C-alpha cells in the first residue's frame, strides 16, 4: 500500500514580505485600465490552496487570501462575489492544477467579514429564510471611504445644494472614470445612508431616479 502524502504546509512560505502594504493594489481611475491582474508570487505556491490545519500558520494564510481578494476586486472593480459563480482565476491556479475548495472559500470570506479582520466582506442576506447566503459585498474601500470619495467629488465639482439622481451618481458621464461608477445600487445606497447619518446628504425616494441632495 502506497504511503499517504503528507499534508501540504505553508511553513516554508515567508509571509512577512507579503503584507497588505506591499501588495495592495491601488486601482487606476482611467477607463482604459488593463484587465490583466498581476498575481503575487505566493499564489504559485501549491500549499496556498490548501487550508492549513496548523493554527499558527492559518491566520497568516487567511490574511494573504484577504489581501489577494481585495486587491483583485479593486483591480477589476468588483463590488460583490457570488459563491455560485466566483471569478474563475481568483481561487484557481490552472498552471499548478490547484484550487481552493468551495467550503474553504466560504471560510476565507467569513474571516474577512469579521470586524477584527477589517470587515472587508459583508454577506448579503438570502431571499429565502433559513438559507445560507452565497453572495457578499466586497469592500476594497469601506463604506466610509466610499462616502468620503463621493462627497469629495461633490464638493470639488461645486454640487453642494444640488439634487442628483442615483442614476447620475452611478452611470452618468459625469462620473466616468470614477471608482464607484456602476457600483451596485444597493451598495451605493449604503454609502449614501452613511452620508445621511453624517448630515451631509438627504435621499428622496427609493427608485434609481431617486434624488440625493448634498449639504
Amino acid at each position: 500500500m502506497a504511503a499517504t502524502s503528507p499534508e501540504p504546509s505553508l511553513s516554508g512560505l515567508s509571509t512577512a514580505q507579503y503584507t497588505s502594504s506591499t501588495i495592495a493594489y491601488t486601482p487606476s481611475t482611467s477607463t482604459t485600465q488593463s484587465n490583466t491582474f498581476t498575481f503575487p508570487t505566493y499564489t504559485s505556491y501549491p500549499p496556498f490552496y490548501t487550508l492549513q490545519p496548523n493554527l499558527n500558520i492559518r491566520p497568516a494564510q487567511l490574511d494573504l487570501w484577504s489581501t489577494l481578494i481585495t486587491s483583485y476586486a479593486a483591480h477589476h472593480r468588483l463590488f460583490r462575489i457570488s459563491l455560485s459563480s466566483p471569478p474563475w482565476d481568483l481561487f484557481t491556479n490552472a498552471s499548478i492544477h490547484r484550487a481552493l475548495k468551495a467550503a474553504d472559500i466560504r471560510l476565507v470570506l467569513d474571516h474577512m467579514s469579521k470586524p477584527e479582520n477589517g470587515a472587508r466582506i459583508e454577506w448579503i442576506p438570502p431571499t429565502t429564510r433559513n438559507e445560507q447566503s452565497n453572495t457578499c459585498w466586497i469592500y476594497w474601500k469601506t463604506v466610509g471611504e466610499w462616502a468620503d470619495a463621493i462627497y469629495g467629488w461633490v464638493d470639488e465639482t461645486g454640487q453642494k445644494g444640488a439634487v442628483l439622481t442615483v442614476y447620475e451618481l452611478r452611470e452618468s458621464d459625469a462620473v466616468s472614470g470614477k471608482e464607484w461608477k456602476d457600483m451596485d445600487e444597493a451598495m451605493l445606497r449604503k454609502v449614501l445612508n452613511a452620508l445621511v447619518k453624517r448630515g451631509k446628504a438627504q435621499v428622496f425616494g427609493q427608485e434609481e431616479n431617486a434624488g440625493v441632495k448634498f449639504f
Side-chain angles (χ1 to χ4, degrees):
M1 180 177 178
T4 302
S5 299
E7 178 70 25
S9 173
L10 279 173
S11 58
L13 176 64
S14 173
T15 59
Q17 60 183 309
Y18 298 120
T19 61
S20 59
S21 62
T22 59
I23 70 170
Y25 180 84
T26 302
S28 167
T29 57
S30 171
T31 55
T32 60
Q33 175 186 346
S34 170
N35 285 329
T36 302
F37 175 74
T38 302
F39 284 84
T41 55
Y42 62 77
T43 60
S44 295
Y45 197 63
F48 182 61
Y49 295 89
T50 299
L51 193 66
Q52 298 299 293
N54 186 325
L55 297 184
N56 292 321
I57 297 174
R58 186 182 294 183
Q61 180 188 21
L62 293 174
D63 286 343
L64 289 177
W65 270 109
S66 177
T67 302
L68 173 62
I69 291 169
T70 51
S71 298
Y72 180 98
H75 180 85
H76 291 292
R77 298 179 62 254
L78 299 179
F79 299 104
R80 68 166 75 196
I81 289 178
S82 172
L83 292 182
S84 61
S85 56
W88 72 270
D89 58 341
L90 177 55
F91 300 106
T92 300
N93 187 334
S95 66
I96 59 173
H97 309 288
R98 298 303 294 267
L100 194 65
K101 295 178 181 178
D104 292 344
I105 294 175
R106 181 181 291 278
L107 190 148
V108 169
L109 296 177
D110 279 339
H111 171 83
M112 295 175 65
S113 73
K114 296 177 181 177
E116 62 267 29
N117 298 322
R120 290 294 177 173
I121 287 294
E122 180 185 357
W123 289 106
I124 300 173
T127 55
T128 304
R129 179 180 291 184
N130 298 326
E131 280 193 359
Q132 192 173 28
S133 177
N134 284 315
T135 308
C136 58
W137 301 121
I138 177 163
Y139 295 123
W140 38 280
K141 286 184 183 291
T142 65
V143 169
E145 289 169 340
W146 281 123
D148 291 341
I150 291 176
Y151 192 77
W153 171 76
V154 168
D155 188 24
E156 291 170 5
T157 53
Q159 297 186 86
K160 284 184 180 180
V163 176
L164 304 174
T165 65
V166 170
Y167 170 83
E168 288 175 312
L169 290 171
R170 290 184 62 233
E171 302 181 49
S172 70
D173 291 340
V175 296
S176 179
K178 298 301 179 183
E179 292 177 336
W180 66 84
K181 189 177 190 304
D182 298 323
M183 175 185 285
D184 287 75
E185 183 179 346
M187 180 183 280
L188 178 58
R189 286 186 174 275
K190 290 169 71 69
V191 173
L192 294 175
N193 285 338
L195 289 172
V196 170
K197 291 178 180 178
R198 296 181 190 177
K200 300 291 187 180
Q202 184 175 0
V203 179
F204 308 91
Q206 297 298 320
E207 302 300 326
E208 192 175 46
N209 59 357
V212 185
K213 186 174 183 178
F214 296 92
F215 307 106

